[in-house]
Amino acid sequence: MEFRLIGGASHEVSLVIPQSLSGAIRTAETLGAEAKAGDALIAKAKEAQLAASGEKPASESAASAAPRDPNGPSYDCAKATSVPDKIVCGSPELSRLDRELNAVWVKVRAKSSDQGWSRRKQMDWYRNERNTCKNAACLKKAYQKRIRELSSD
């Protein structure tokens, strides 16, 4: 007996199912191991996609939301690695602006009919304006400008 499994655009696997029970068990174990490896790859790809989008998995968001400083920015400063992130974490004024921007962004995104477009626009701002700043004055201007832009939409 032969079965064909097609996985993805370029993967095609043919299996010959053995007649003996021990052969069938070995085949099932092999397929199970391959499925687990595939699941792990999918999970890693989803993590990378979330990281690229700036979103966090629901389990991580719930777990990491509790210890955050209510006067800090909208993100966890313990995980801050970039220069702009560290500057914002060290400034009560910039932290407040970050929380304000996050609140405005949540409202705008909830109203948006195209979630993907609005997320891409926010990520463009994040990468091309906010993350190019190397000092507090630049960050303050970038945050204030983005808050004005989003508030006028």
Side-chain angles (χ1 to χ4, degrees), residues 51-141:
S53 72
E55 292 183 32
K56 295 187 178 189
S59 59
E60 182 182 327
S61 294
S64 63
R68 288 200 184 128
D69 178 0
N71 296 317
S74 64
Y75 55 88
D76 185 354
C77 285
K79 297 177 182 177
T81 57
S82 72
V83 169
D85 283 345
K86 291 177 181 180
I87 293 171
V88 171
C89 286
S91 166
E93 180 181 23
L94 292 174
S95 291
R96 181 189 56 76
L97 285 169
D98 183 80
R99 289 190 313 274
E100 184 180 340
L101 174 60
N102 188 60
V104 171
W105 162 242
V106 167
K107 288 177 187 175
V108 167
R109 187 158 182 227
K111 293 177 187 176
S112 176
S113 61
D114 187 348
Q115 299 280 315
W117 179 84
S118 57
R119 183 183 315 138
R120 282 190 302 277
K121 293 298 285 182
Q122 184 68 359
M123 290 308 297
D124 286 347
W125 170 81
Y126 190 82
R127 280 189 291 268
N128 299 323
E129 291 189 45
R130 179 200 184 267
N131 279 359
T132 61
C133 289
K134 302 299 179 208
N135 61 56
C138 177
L139 283 164
K140 181 177 178 180
K141 286 179 187 175

